[in-house]
Amino acid sequence: LAVKEEPLSFLRIDRAETQFDEEIGMYDSRVYEKAHDLLWQMLKENYFEEEKNPCYYIYELTMNDRAQTGIVACASVDDYINGAIKKHENTRKDKEEDRIRHVEVCQAQTGPIFLAYRAKEEISNLVNTVKKDGTLYDFTAGDGIRHRVWIVSEVDRIKEIEKHFSLIENIYIADGHHRAASAVKVALRRRKRDPHYNGEEEYNYFLSVLFPDDQLMVLDYNRVVKDLNGMTREEFIGKLGEKFQVEAAGNEAYKPGRKGTFGMYMGDKWYRLTMKPEWCVNHPVDGLDVSLLQRHVLAPLLGIQDPKTDQRIDFVGGIRGLKELERRVKEDCAVAFALYPTSIQELFSVSDAGLLMPPKSTWFEPKLRSGLFIHSIK
């Protein structure tokens, strides 16, 4: 629908199956070829402007009067391989292969990877100085998110950015694991075909936006479950009482205010669940609220052993609010859980320990916009 209403929408390149009838599947080779043709035709018709000289961009997104500002750059495939760029989740082969084919056929990366780093005052000061200049782009999208872009083309500023980032030991993938993994695999395939590569080829880098951790907002990622696994509401609350302090929270939606607390909506009522101290653990993964809920409620009480595959559980991003949890319980679920958001520091801790986050642990807003920045790997 969005593509029909906006014929120049970048969705027609990112989701080129929209250009075909329904009988053409989204993984059909013609879909990727269409994406390539549309992208390069738009470039030919000057819908995109190609930079002739090295530069960085400063990219600010503002949602509900809250702004976060990152640096648009190309990250090194080798830094991903050697672990300087850290990840916190596994990727699915089918989703990887889709992005690999999209990048290979389009010969371009069209969706940036969302990276985070521990804030440095020197970088923040430089970014704020650049933001005093005139913007390259400034618009508010249909979803209300304002996007502003500045260009950094002065040689001295470019060198200063590179100097400060050279002193940062690790960068973290916040969002975009599949795009990152796919970009790396494209590079490895091309290296294999070109044994004389020197590492400077464009395919050795992937499009990214790097944000300081002190500007990022991680939203809650909530759960809804279809049934109570054969229990009555009273039986379920009784079982919860073994490991949680369970309190009625009234009819007003309860949003957890700290770690170890959960909101639960069931039978037109909200409850406050507080984990009893003896069941809390100090561990990068096991101590996460999403892990506590899975280990003490979803698996043993509701019988959901694998939330990635169990059809009885669904996940609701915090951007949709607690009213969405109420709606789901009234329509097709028996119980909903509102979680306290995983923090960016917890994400860093999991990555630093070389561990993986549980599925659906983090929800970042606002989302990076595809099509604003494109990295050609021709």
Side-chain angles (χ1 to χ4, degrees):
L1 183 61
V3 175
K4 289 180 180 178
E5 292 175 352
E6 301 286 349
L8 290 178
S9 167
F10 201 78
L11 270 175
R12 68 191 190 129
I13 294 169
D14 258 3
R15 300 289 302 274
E17 67 271 17
T18 58
Q19 305 302 298
F20 295 91
D21 294 332
E22 288 184 4
E23 63 264 19
I24 303 297
M26 62 183 296
Y27 301 131
D28 191 291
S29 60
R30 288 168 287 184
V31 170
Y32 301 100
E33 290 160 6
K34 186 68 172 179
H36 167 276
D37 293 347
L38 289 169
L39 173 62
W40 291 98
Q41 184 63 31
M42 289 186 77
L43 185 64
K44 183 178 178 181
E45 294 174 359
N46 298 317
Y47 285 102
F48 301 112
E49 184 173 343
E50 188 172 6
E51 299 291 350
K52 302 301 182 186
N53 297 307
C55 68
Y56 294 108
Y57 297 106
I58 305 299
Y59 179 25
E60 177 196 80
L61 302 95
T62 303
M63 182 179 77
N64 299 331
D65 297 322
R66 183 185 178 281
Q68 62 185 49
T69 307
I71 297 174
V72 183
C74 285
S76 166
V77 162
D78 287 317
D79 280 344
Y80 179 98
I81 293 170
N82 65 31
I85 296 174
K86 295 192 173 187
K87 56 187 179 179
H88 66 263
E89 75 177 44
N90 279 329
T91 52
R92 281 174 36 195
K93 189 174 181 181
D94 59 336
K95 291 183 70 175
E96 258 189 46
E97 190 59 34
D98 170 51
R99 287 299 93 186
I100 288 171
R101 293 176 70 189
H102 196 276
V103 171
E104 277 277 40
V105 175
C106 287
Q107 299 191 68
Q109 299 155 357
T110 59
I113 287 88
F114 189 145
L115 301 179
Y117 63 93
R118 291 182 175 88
K120 288 178 67 73
E121 185 179 3
E122 299 88 346
I123 297 175
S124 299
N125 290 340
L126 176 60
V127 167
N128 289 333
T129 299
V130 173
K131 287 172 69 173
K132 294 176 182 176
D133 300 338
T135 56
L136 192 63
Y137 307 118
D138 185 346
F139 66 95
T140 300
D143 56 5
I145 309 298
R146 185 182 184 187
H147 302 261
R148 294 203 292 170
V149 177
W150 296 259
I151 189 169
V152 181
S153 54
E154 300 87 346
V155 173
D156 288 346
R157 283 181 173 175
I158 289 174
K159 287 182 178 178
E160 191 175 351
I161 289 173
E162 292 171 351
K163 179 187 74 173
H164 292 310
F165 273 100
S166 71
L167 301 175
I168 294 177
E169 187 173 353
N170 292 116
I171 303 291
Y172 300 82
I173 299 177
D175 200 9
H177 282 79
H178 285 91
R179 291 192 297 275
S182 301
V184 170
K185 289 189 175 176
V186 168
L188 294 178
R189 290 181 184 183
R190 291 199 172 196
R191 288 178 178 183
K192 193 171 183 179
R193 295 199 299 263
D194 177 18
H196 302 295
Y197 78 92
N198 60 24
E200 297 301 313
E201 297 87 356
E202 290 299 328
Y203 61 73
N204 292 293
Y205 301 88
F206 55 85
L207 182 64
S208 306
V209 187
L210 299 97
F211 291 93
D213 62 339
D214 60 359
Q215 292 189 24
L216 295 180
M217 179 172 64
V218 189
L219 298 184
D220 41 310
Y221 216 150
N222 302 313
R223 276 81 168 129
V224 291
V225 181
K226 301 286 185 182
D227 58 67
L228 296 180
N229 199 27
M231 288 181 280
T232 65
R233 292 171 186 164
E234 291 73 21
E235 288 171 336
F236 182 53
I237 289 175
K239 289 286 187 181
L240 287 171
E242 296 173 9
K243 295 183 178 180
F244 296 86
Q245 180 182 349
V246 182
E247 304 167 274
N251 296 322
E252 290 297 315
Y254 174 70
K255 189 175 182 65
R258 60 182 175 84
K259 270 181 65 63
T261 61
F262 304 83
M264 181 177 74
Y265 186 70
M266 182 175 65
D268 296 325
K269 294 180 182 178
W270 279 93
Y271 298 84
R272 181 190 303 108
L273 309 181
T274 304
M275 194 96 220
K276 293 180 179 178
E278 60 267 30
W279 297 105
C280 295
V281 293
N282 184 20
H283 184 272
V285 175
D286 293 345
L288 296 173
D289 279 8
V290 290
S291 299
L292 295 174
L293 185 72
Q294 176 62 36
R295 189 164 65 253
H296 296 293
V297 180
L298 299 180
L301 303 185
L302 297 177
I304 296 169
Q305 305 302 328
D306 186 353
K308 289 184 290 187
T309 58
D310 198 309
Q311 299 299 306
R312 295 169 53 237
I313 189 170
D314 201 0
F315 305 89
V316 180
I319 191 67
R320 304 186 72 177
L322 299 185
K323 289 296 181 185
E324 178 65 12
L325 299 185
E326 294 180 355
R327 185 190 71 82
R328 289 297 303 271
V329 169
K330 288 170 183 173
E331 288 190 4
D332 64 346
C333 293
V335 64
F337 299 97
L339 282 73
Y340 187 71
T342 302
S343 72
I344 192 70
Q345 284 70 35
E346 287 176 318
L347 184 153
F348 286 173
S349 295
V350 171
S351 301
D352 286 338
L355 301 172
L356 301 175
M357 301 274 269
K360 312 294 187 183
S361 294
T362 56
W363 182 283
F364 287 93
E365 285 288 346
K367 304 295 186 187
L368 307 183
R369 203 164 188 86
S370 292
L372 263 183
F373 313 102
I374 295 170
H375 177 221
S376 168
I377 61 169
K378 270 191 171 182

